[in-house]
């Protein structure tokens, strides 16, 4: 098994920081409004932070498991129809525009890894042995 960490682009971190600075830009604060905003933004962070932290792929001999936020998805290598690099702007689980497009029999997905080329190379090598 080999683990590939997800890639978070600079703009993704900037969006996170900006999201958390916005409530403090509403000076002077009303205490009631401030409490509501802090709760609202903390709930948002409970979604945002796992996006950045739990973003990886575990590659095995005949499948990989894609971990993102609170979920994980198993993809069989034999089911992959297409795997290629992409810079698509389509909203997805990729936290960077340096993405990999994967099309399988049942679905298509975009992912972004720190080692996109290496992942594609290994998947293609493993698929050759399976098919």
């Amino acid at each position: 098994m080999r683990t590939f960490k997800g890639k978070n682009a600079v703009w993704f971190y900037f969006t996170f920081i900006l999201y958390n600075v916005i409530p403090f830009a509403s000076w002077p604060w009303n205490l009631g409004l401030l409490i509501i905003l802090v709760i609202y933004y903390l709930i948002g962070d409970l979604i945002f932070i796992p996006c950045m932290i739990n973003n990886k792929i575990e590659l095995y001999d005949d499948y990989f498991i894609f971990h993102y936020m609170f979920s994980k998805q198993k993809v069989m290598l034999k089911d992959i129809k297409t795997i290629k690099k992409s810079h698509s702007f389509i909203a997805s689980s990729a936290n960077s525009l340096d993405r990999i497009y994967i099309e399988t029999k049942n679905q298509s997905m975009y992912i972004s890894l720190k080692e996109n080329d290496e992942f594609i190379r290994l998947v293609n090598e493993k698929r050759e042995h399976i098919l």
Side-chain angles (χ1 to χ4, degrees):
M1 185 230 0
R2 179 158 173 201
T3 301
F4 291 86
K5 294 187 183 235
K7 181 177 183 179
N8 297 312
V10 173
W11 61 264
F12 196 79
Y13 288 118
F14 180 73
T15 304
F16 175 72
I17 292 168
L18 186 64
Y19 171 83
N20 282 284
V21 169
I22 288 173
F24 300 106
S26 61
W27 189 265
W29 296 323
N30 171 328
L31 184 59
L33 177 63
L34 180 63
I35 291 170
I36 292 170
L37 284 175
V38 167
I39 291 170
Y40 174 77
Y41 281 91
L42 286 176
I43 291 170
D45 284 345
L46 290 176
I47 295 168
F48 224 129
I49 291 172
C51 265
M52 294 184 292
I53 295 173
N54 192 25
N55 180 8
K56 66 181 178 181
I57 285 185
E58 294 173 344
L59 179 61
Y60 296 88
D61 289 334
D62 59 345
Y63 66 94
F64 68 81
I65 299 177
F66 175 50
H67 298 263
Y68 192 73
M69 292 181 61
F70 303 109
S71 67
K72 63 182 179 178
Q73 186 173 3
K74 184 176 181 178
V75 176
M76 300 302 295
L77 298 183
K78 66 181 170 114
D79 293 340
I80 295 175
K81 293 180 179 179
T82 305
I83 181 167
K84 62 182 181 180
K85 291 185 82 171
S86 173
H87 296 284
S88 174
F89 286 99
I90 294 175
S92 69
S93 54
N95 298 348
S96 171
L97 293 178
D98 184 20
R99 300 171 173 192
I100 299 172
Y101 171 71
I102 300 173
E103 181 182 0
T104 68
K105 293 177 182 177
N106 303 319
Q107 67 185 358
S108 62
M109 64 174 55
Y110 286 93
I111 58 174
S112 182
L113 303 170
K114 291 181 179 178
E115 300 175 86
N116 284 342
D117 293 329
E118 180 69 8
F119 177 75
I120 292 171
R121 185 186 68 74
L122 282 175
V123 166
N124 284 331
E125 281 180 11
K126 290 176 183 285
R127 286 178 63 218
E128 286 175 7
H129 296 288
I130 293 171
L131 304 175

